[in-house]
Amino acid sequence: MSSNSLLLITGGLFLIILIVGNCGAKRKWDYEPLSIDTYSSDESKLKFVAKVERVARGEFAIGGTIDFKYTPDSNTMVEAVAHRSSSGAERDYKLIPFNIPKQPFPDFMNSHYKDVIIPNVAECSNLIKFEGKFDGVWPQKVYTLDKCVADSDGFPEMVTEGFYRINFTLTNPVDWGFVLIVKISNKMM
Ligand SMILES: *[C@@H]1O[C@H](CO)[C@@H](O)[C@H](O)[C@H]1NC(C)=O
């Protein structure tokens, strides 16, 4: 993948999204989410449940609920890191340059959330939508994601085969997030 690519596989904000330079090309690879594990250091503040569902041959959807009982603010930090393993073995995972640099929640809302998450989950979730600048208020409620499917438009033509592990985390005042493992393989032509 080109260095300007960002592989952002969010489960919580939950789907497979790739922001890439070479949009519109025909995808030559398949992906299979193998697992999604959610975590929360305090379920009285944030409870997160997610699952991967196979909806058709080679097609997967992600569903889940995120119960927000706290209000993230500028002290809340958002970060995502990705590792890749060619074999799937734990010892082979190496850090790759697809990430969301650690940043305050409002910055995340005005960048990745607005540009990538809103367009992709608008139809399958009740996650908040906004235009212009984020007003700073993330309402406390139960957010649901129902059969969110990765859209193949905007994916890069080629992706290195292997196992990708993405860890998406929010910290302060509760540490929560998910670890998603996705297998990428070349398409049988
Ligand atoms: C995910 O990130 C969190 C926060 O940095 C860390 O505590 C956790 O160990 C990570 N999990 C994996 C599987 O990398």
Side-chain angles (χ1 to χ4, degrees):
M1 261 191 249
S2 58
S3 58
N4 64 350
S5 300
L6 167 68
L7 172 61
L8 160 65
I9 301 195
T10 64
L13 307 166
F14 239 177
L15 32 135
I16 301 180
I17 301 163
L18 290 127
I19 312 172
V20 290
N22 56 337
C23 295
K26 188 134 177 69
R27 193 156 63 86
K28 295 197 174 73
W29 45 274
D30 285 320
Y31 67 91
E32 179 182 354
L34 298 178
S35 64
I36 179 152
D37 290 315
T38 58
Y39 55 89
S40 170
S41 64
D42 184 352
E43 291 202 334
S44 73
K45 292 194 176 73
L46 191 292
K47 189 162 181 222
F48 185 15
V49 180
K51 64 174 189 290
V52 172
E53 289 171 300
R54 194 177 136 131
V55 289
R57 192 184 156 83
E59 268 183 54
F60 301 87
I62 293 177
T65 59
I66 313 168
D67 189 359
F68 260 91
K69 286 177 268 191
Y70 79 104
T71 301
D73 59 22
S74 56
N75 295 313
T76 302
M77 301 300 286
V78 182
E79 181 180 21
V81 294
H83 290 79
R84 179 181 165 274
S85 167
S86 47
S87 67
E90 184 56 38
R91 65 175 183 281
D92 290 339
Y93 275 100
K94 295 194 176 56
L95 192 65
I96 55 170
F98 306 122
N99 60 43
I100 299 175
K102 194 169 192 171
Q103 58 194 280
F105 184 75
D107 293 357
F108 169 76
M109 292 302 289
N110 281 311
S111 57
H112 302 89
Y113 186 89
K114 183 178 170 176
D115 298 339
V116 183
I117 294 175
I118 293 179
N120 280 283
V121 302
E123 301 295 312
C124 66
S125 83
N126 62 342
L127 288 168
I128 68 164
K129 302 164 189 80
F130 60 90
E131 284 170 18
K133 208 169 184 303
F134 175 55
D135 67 4
V137 182
W138 179 273
Q140 292 192 17
K141 66 175 180 181
V142 180
Y143 294 93
T144 59
L145 294 110
D146 184 28
K147 294 201 173 64
C148 290
V149 179
D151 182 33
S152 59
D153 291 344
F155 282 64
E157 198 176 341
M158 304 295 295
V159 174
T160 310
E161 283 194 301
F163 297 80
Y164 289 80
R165 186 175 67 201
I166 291 85
N167 187 354
F168 180 88
T169 307
L170 273 81
T171 48
N172 202 21
V174 50
D175 299 351
W176 65 278
F178 64 89
V179 177
L180 176 67
I181 298 179
V182 179
K183 184 182 174 191
I184 304 269
S185 50
N186 289 334
K187 244 180 195 159
M188 306 282 193
M189 293 295 177

